[in-house]
Amino acid sequence: PIGRAPSHLIAAVAETATGGYFPDLMQEFGRFLVITGIVMVVVGLLVWSGFGKGWLGRLPGDIHYTKGNFSFYFPIVTCLIISAILTLLFWLFRK
């Protein structure tokens, strides 16, 4: 088709632009996707099984305000713990 570059030309340009590391980049991206998928499946199974139902989101420091028919809830400590766990996991699985 007119206006489209052949695929081998696109691959050559991508390899030149990345300094020849295009296959390595794709391999790392694939590894990242697999690890992210596994983490999502594990977290999904834990949530589905009811893990943390009694305490997750009700930690000391989580903000919960109720007045009349208005309720505000912000689980800041829960978010910090989840962020720390995810940071640790990503740090462990990085290259």
Side-chain angles (χ1 to χ4, degrees):
I2 296 176
R4 295 188 76 190
S7 60
H8 68 278
L9 181 60
I10 294 172
V13 170
E15 186 173 341
T16 303
T18 59
Y21 295 111
F22 188 70
D24 293 335
L25 180 67
M26 292 306 291
Q27 184 178 14
E28 290 297 320
F29 184 64
R31 182 178 301 152
F32 171 75
L33 287 177
V34 168
I35 291 172
T36 303
I38 291 170
V39 168
M40 288 177 63
V41 166
V42 169
V43 170
L45 288 173
L46 288 174
V47 170
W48 189 24
S49 72
F51 176 76
K53 189 176 182 182
W55 58 271
L56 191 62
R58 295 182 179 95
L59 296 173
D62 287 346
I63 299 170
H64 184 79
Y65 176 76
T66 303
K67 185 171 184 178
N69 63 353
F70 175 76
S71 181
F72 176 76
Y73 180 69
F74 185 67
I76 191 161
V77 175
T78 302
C79 290
L80 289 172
I81 289 174
I82 291 172
S83 175
I85 290 169
L86 288 175
T87 300
L88 179 65
L89 286 174
F90 283 124
W91 180 77
L92 288 172
F93 287 113
R94 75 175 180 186
K95 189 173 181 181

